[in-house]
Amino acid sequence: MFGLISYIFSSSLLALSISAFVFTYFFSSTIKNYLDAQIYPSKKIHVQLPEQFLPGWSTSQYANSQNASQKLPNKITCIDPATGKILGHHPISSASDVQAAIEAASIAQKVWTNTSFSQRRQVLRTMCDFILDHQLEICQAACRVSGKTLVDAMLGEVLTTIAKLRWTIENGENVLKSSTRGTGFLMMYKMARVVYQPMGVVSAIVSWNYPFHNAFGPVISAIFAGNAIVVKTSEHSAFSSPYFLSIIQNCLAAHGHPKDLVQFITGYAETGQALVSSKNVKHVTFIGSAPVGRLIMKAASDNLTPVTLELGGKDCAIVMNDANLDQCVPVIMRGTFQNSGQNCIGIERVIVHQDVYDKFINLVKHKIPLIRQGPCLENTTNDHQIDMGAMVLSSNFSVYGSLISDALQKGAKLITGGKVFNHPEYPYGSYFEPTLLVDVTPNMDIANTEVFGPIMAVFKASSVADSIRIANSSQFALGSSVFTSDKLLGRQIAMSLKCGMVNNNDFAVNYLCQSLPFGGIGNSGFGRFAGNEGLLSMCYQKSYTEDIFSSISTSIPKVVDYPIENTQNAFEFTKNINTFAFGSNIISRIKAAITLGKLSK
């Protein structure tokens, strides 16, 4: 009885101690952030939302229509893919424009590099507060240029950006502070540190699928690390770039910092080439396809510019026979059809255990045809009854058709969808029906090609090993999901998958854990953004040593001082230093110390 009471008391005391530690840690961290925010408060800024982003905005100009305006030289014709409306025209950045942007950013960075972490946090707080206060307007801008729904914009554009801002505000300084390293026995009189310093002007070339978040993400990390950044936004989402850039630059200006620290440029391959090949750009982050990623890497190699490549994905969701289908089916539906499947970490392969294969198919085949498509910013009776938006690149529709045809010829079955959706009210919009393709096998083209569209491809697996085999058969290796009620099995499968990220019983939530690095392996690229690793990639890492005590420093023993009097003695001296410092036998180390003493005379 006494032993039981003692155990309960000691366990309670331990739990209380742990709780007190956790409370103290988070409380002190919260107090620190609170005080910092009081001393360096955010400010309200105003940025005008262009009229084209307002719901119900009308025009007589539609793409591919008889009354469409002519293409203008050196201009990008900007289109709303959900309706085909022509939003306007955006200038193409020439090579000289790119160079001017880099030079302006470089001048601003020389001022910004002297700011404190508190000053940088202040800018990010202002940015975060503006986003929170203008969530709808930002979603409207993203929806207008990418055709996504307001819900998809809120999740993929706003939520992810705020999560990154908050993590950087709360953790960025601790990540970038210089760190002490061990010196080892031989250098015990030294202090060794790693110092993280800004690179200067860095760059990012980002994709169109999430125009707000993809542009803001690299900016947040770059400027907090003390850099300037030039971002090449996609030509497909060019119309939103000035609005998004105004938000960032107004946040900087509100606190007296140079607006030129962040530059946006837009254009085609020539614009990107001018940016990547510049000697004054010290790092390149690229978000896009594997073929273009190879070109980026090749261009950057001329100046040995380091690159982070976030390329294509062919993410899988493995569904084991003990998976909770009521939980996993909605998650997989969201992972497949969110943003019309235009996600680098979208679920493109669903690998289902044979024991629950038919049940899974029966569940999704009734849900997928119910998905409603259309624009979310038009004044229609179904204005807010839209599940899935438009496709940015209608040129991919023929690719989808070819992939589906190849799969059908090799034994797959098309359950629903599989063709272009001609919207009755918006004939110039770009839509593809949500599609269910079953009995897919790894030898089919669709199993090895990044679709980037609303197609659920379902594979049948006979076992755990077969599931892993199918999952690892792709040349892409970005993220994945595993659904099972057995946590140990889920972990075992996760550790067997050749990819950069895995979520058990979920989809893509690792990206909301902003402390985690984001990236893949193989044809999905290399390098990481997000987390400590992403922030540190924006810095030069400098090794630094100094004497702990000013009275103790390195002096060259006479036996090895130039000119060396006796090279044999010098050799024996250095040999015995190795034995004394690193030998595993205590006797040999003592003998080496005696020899060193003799040779030092």
Side-chain angles (χ1 to χ4, degrees), residues 94-411:
S94 64
S96 59
D97 293 331
V98 174
Q99 187 57 39
I102 295 171
E103 290 175 359
S106 180
I107 293 171
Q109 193 273 335
K110 289 177 173 61
V111 177
W112 177 254
T113 192
N114 296 314
T115 55
S116 66
F117 285 122
S118 290
Q119 290 174 304
R120 297 172 193 176
R121 275 193 294 268
Q122 186 178 34
V123 172
L124 297 192
R125 285 194 193 98
T126 295
M127 196 180 296
C128 188
D129 288 349
F130 178 87
I131 295 170
L132 286 169
D133 290 341
H134 299 83
Q135 296 182 59
L136 177 59
E137 293 93 326
I138 290 168
C139 286
Q140 289 171 347
C143 290
R144 185 65 84 185
V145 299
S146 68
K148 60 169 58 72
T149 67
L150 286 170
V151 171
D152 288 351
M154 195 64 76
L155 292 173
E157 306 277 13
V158 175
L159 174 62
T160 50
T161 305
I162 294 172
K164 188 177 185 73
L165 280 164
R166 293 308 313 174
W167 181 86
T168 306
I169 290 168
E170 293 170 5
N171 301 280
E173 181 176 358
N174 287 333
V175 174
L176 297 179
K177 285 194 304 187
S178 62
S179 58
T180 303
R181 301 293 176 90
T183 60
F185 176 73
L186 197 59
M187 292 287 108
M188 66 172 68
Y189 62 97
K190 294 287 185 181
M191 183 276 292
R193 303 185 73 84
V194 179
V195 181
Y196 304 102
Q197 296 182 314
M199 304 179 93
V201 178
V202 299
S203 68
I205 299 178
V206 299
S207 56
W208 43 262
N209 55 331
Y210 289 98
F212 178 73
H213 177 70
N214 286 348
F216 268 63
V219 169
I220 293 166
S221 297
I223 66 174
F224 193 80
N227 300 300
I229 185 169
V230 179
V231 181
K232 180 194 172 294
T233 58
S234 172
E235 63 273 20
H236 299 295
S237 56
F239 201 77
S240 61
S241 295
Y243 172 62
F244 294 155
L245 177 61
S246 293
I247 296 172
I248 298 169
Q249 291 189 334
N250 275 278
C251 289
L252 288 164
H255 300 288
H257 304 299
K259 297 170 67 172
D260 286 344
L261 187 73
V262 178
Q263 302 280 330
F264 280 11
I265 57 174
T266 306
Y268 299 98
E270 297 79 8
T271 304
Q273 175 71 24
L275 180 62
V276 175
S277 60
S278 172
K279 293 181 179 180
N280 296 319
V281 169
K282 304 306 179 183
H283 185 278
V284 178
T285 297
F286 173 72
I287 304 173
S289 68
V292 178
R294 291 186 178 92
L295 296 175
I296 295 290
M297 190 173 174
K298 184 177 180 180
S301 68
D302 289 342
N303 296 317
L304 297 179
T305 305
V307 297
T308 294
L309 300 178
E310 196 275 281
L311 307 179
K314 195 69 186 170
D315 290 14
C316 69
I318 295 176
V319 181
M320 296 310 301
N321 56 354
D322 65 343
N324 179 352
L325 297 185
D326 290 336
Q327 182 268 336
C328 81
V329 166
V331 175
I332 292 173
M333 288 281 292
R334 168 61 61 179
T336 303
F337 298 110
Q338 178 169 310
N339 200 27
S340 301
Q342 299 165 117
N343 304 289
C344 59
I345 52 172
I347 296 175
E348 297 214 356
R349 296 177 297 156
V350 184
I351 304 167
V352 184
H353 193 281
Q354 61 185 10
D355 292 351
V356 293
Y357 186 82
D358 291 340
K359 186 176 182 181
F360 179 89
I361 297 300
N362 190 57
L363 287 171
V364 296
K365 78 177 184 181
H366 289 102
K367 291 175 71 71
I368 292 173
L370 300 178
I371 293 175
R372 297 159 295 187
Q373 295 177 267
C376 66
L377 297 181
E378 301 306 309
N379 292 324
T380 67
T381 55
N382 294 318
D383 192 19
H384 296 291
Q385 306 301 319
I386 303 300
D387 301 304
M388 195 174 87
M391 306 291 296
V392 172
L393 300 180
S394 59
S395 57
N396 283 343
F397 292 167
S398 60
V399 177
Y400 300 160
S402 297
L403 291 173
I404 292 170
S405 295
D406 173 81
L408 295 178
Q409 291 172 10
K410 294 175 180 176

Side-chain angles (χ1 to χ4, degrees), residues 413-462:
K413 298 183 181 66
L414 179 64
I415 304 300
T416 186
K419 61 183 185 294
V420 173
F421 171 60
N422 296 308
H423 199 289
E425 296 180 60
Y426 302 96
Y428 301 114
S430 299
Y431 298 94
F432 196 87
E433 293 182 352
T435 299
L436 175 61
L437 195 65
V438 303
D439 296 347
V440 180
T441 54
N443 66 313
M444 299 175 183
D445 291 346
I446 199 168
N448 301 288
T449 304
E450 184 181 27
V451 175
F452 223 64
I455 300 176
M456 181 182 287
V458 187
F459 301 67
K460 181 186 289 186
S462 59

